[in-house]
Amino acid sequence: VLTGEDASYKSVVPINAFDPLNGRWGAFEIAGRVSNVDVNSGPLKAKRAKGSDNTWAYTGGLNWYLNRAFKVQLNYERTDFSKNVTFGSTKRDHEDVLLSRFQIAF
């Protein structure tokens, strides 16, 4: 958490809730994740996989907590496929996506 709040698996509670007239912007958090799906071994073993059989995904994100109840999230994710995957008429070895979310918790 960039603004000094305690990191938590539940939710970040901003020290200073969003109030731009008084120079308060809430809390900002940087997030990252790396994940892998490998269907070459174990319970997911695929005998005739038509798509990618080993996929890695890398995600980076910025979370903005306006107050205890409101959160804005922006993530970029890059997914690398071990084999080309067909989407429509094009083959790709990776996928890039930008995701956003506005969340209200009560």
Side-chain angles (χ1 to χ4, degrees), residues 14-92:
I15 295 169
N16 295 304
F18 181 70
D19 183 3
L21 296 177
N22 290 309
R24 297 180 180 173
W25 297 98
F28 291 90
E29 176 183 45
I30 293 178
R33 178 178 69 185
V34 175
S35 61
N36 173 249
V37 175
D38 183 357
V39 295
N40 288 319
S41 60
L44 298 176
K45 188 171 185 175
K47 297 190 186 250
R48 294 183 197 143
K50 292 183 180 181
S52 180
D53 54 2
N54 188 2
T55 301
W56 284 90
Y58 311 93
T59 307
L62 178 66
N63 300 325
W64 179 21
Y65 299 87
L66 285 80
N67 58 36
R68 182 183 298 269
F70 293 96
K71 174 183 172 182
V72 177
Q73 187 173 4
L74 183 65
N75 290 335
Y76 166 75
E77 183 167 308
R78 164 84 179 215
T79 304
D80 291 322
F81 307 117
S82 62
K83 297 178 186 174
N84 285 342
V85 176
T86 303
F87 290 95
S89 61
T90 60
K91 291 189 176 186
R92 298 183 188 172

